[in-house]
Amino acid sequence: MTNLFRLLNHTKKNGYTLVELLCLMTIMGIIGALAGPRLLFNDSSATSDGTTQIKGILQQTRGRAISTTSAIRLIPDSTNPESKFTIEIANTRGCESFTKLREAATSTDTELKVYSTSGFVEGDRIKVGSDSTSNEILAIDKTNSIIKLGVALGSAQNLDKTVELADNWRADGSFQADDLTLPEKAIFTSNIPDWTLCFNSRGVAYIYDKEGDSQPNLTLSISSTIDGGGETLTVLKGGAIQTN
């Protein structure tokens, strides 16, 4: 602005001419026209940027699962579940090594009655619910959906506790924390509490709720922390991504 006043040959003695004032008003109008929309629609931009970033994360995760021939899962980050994701890669190709207890188990049980034995094989080491012990599978009764352990479970676990491979998942170092964090003011919510989205080695999506039940789709709603509103992305069982 100082340079602008100098260009207008302003002096305290002479003041401004009408032409100079009109020029100044024109310039200020142009500046306002350029800066105004940016200020007014900043929150909308955050929502749009957040939607674009999440879509990119989903596509990259699916592509990496295919390129590495490993299952990769995406979950809300525990420290910032509304604006950040965590991505983990598995030692296995599939997402199916995941089930629940269909009956409660005691600490001395060596047989686990589960909903499905799909994805598990003899010799696998599994983690059951909150139990910290890595239990090796001695045998599998597929007909009756029973997993037989080499030693006693070690702790009592309630009905519907998860059963999954132990030491199977690790952080995927190919993704940086900043890449998985939404832009400032952008947040996301979902139609499924505590969801898990897993892509297997062929890029097929599996969506689970907090109980480990398979779900047909996952809808993420992206909005602004200032004015709400927002956009949505839906991941269908199979891997297709829809923008709504």
Side-chain angles (χ1 to χ4, degrees):
M1 293 300 295
T2 301
N3 292 334
L4 180 61
F5 288 138
R6 289 175 178 173
L7 290 174
L8 295 177
N9 295 318
H10 169 62
T11 65
K12 292 182 179 180
K13 181 177 180 179
N14 297 328
Y16 299 113
T17 67
L18 178 60
V19 173
E20 290 172 339
L21 289 174
L22 290 175
C23 289
L24 178 62
M25 292 174 64
T26 300
I27 293 172
M28 295 302 293
I30 293 173
I31 293 174
L34 294 174
R38 187 177 183 87
L39 295 174
L40 291 174
F41 297 106
N42 184 55
D43 296 327
S44 176
S45 176
T47 300
S48 179
D49 290 346
T51 301
T52 300
Q53 184 172 353
I54 290 178
K55 188 173 183 179
I57 290 171
L58 293 172
Q59 292 172 336
Q60 290 178 46
T61 303
R62 185 171 185 264
R64 181 156 169 75
I66 296 172
S67 65
T68 60
T69 64
S70 299
I72 295 183
R73 67 182 181 185
L74 178 75
I75 56 178
D77 187 83
S78 59
T79 62
N80 200 354
E82 290 188 335
S83 60
K84 187 177 180 181
F85 298 98
T86 292
I87 295 181
E88 298 175 324
I89 188 169
N91 296 321
T92 55
R93 293 172 178 262
C95 302
E96 299 87 348
S97 302
F98 181 88
T99 188
K100 297 186 302 180
L101 294 175
R102 56 185 170 87
E103 288 187 15
T106 68
S107 61
T108 58
D109 281 346
T110 57
E111 292 189 354
L112 304 177
K113 296 179 180 180
V114 297
Y115 289 109
S116 173
T117 58
S118 176
F120 296 98
V121 297
E122 295 177 7
D124 279 346
R125 303 192 70 85
I126 60 173
K127 182 180 183 301
V128 183
S130 60
D131 187 63
S132 60
T133 305
S134 179
N135 300 278
E136 185 175 353
I137 297 177
L138 181 65
I140 294 177
D141 182 348
K142 294 183 178 180
T143 302
N144 298 302
S145 294
I146 294 176
I147 294 176
K148 300 180 181 181
L149 304 176
V151 296
L153 179 59
S155 63
Q157 298 295 325
N158 295 329
L159 169 71
D160 285 335
K161 287 297 183 179
T162 58
V163 179
E164 60 183 344
L165 294 179
D167 304 320
N168 184 45
W169 297 96
R170 64 186 187 280
D172 190 342
S174 66
F175 294 90
Q176 301 299 315
D178 290 345
D179 298 333
L180 302 177
T181 304
L182 296 191
E184 186 180 0
K185 298 182 181 180
I187 60 173
F188 66 86
T189 57
S190 69
N191 62 324
I192 304 172
D194 299 325
W195 53 269
T196 297
L197 171 62
C198 179
F199 292 100
N200 69 10
S201 60
R202 294 181 297 164
V204 178
Y206 292 82
I207 301 161
Y208 303 101
D209 62 17
K210 64 179 181 180
E211 300 298 336
D213 290 326
S214 180
Q215 301 295 317
N217 61 67
L218 170 68
T219 297
L220 299 177
S221 300
I222 303 91
S223 60
S224 165
T225 56
I226 303 299
D227 62 359
E231 303 177 17
T232 60
L233 287 174
T234 298
V235 183
L236 303 178
K237 189 175 182 178
I241 301 172
Q242 295 181 344
T243 304
N244 302 323

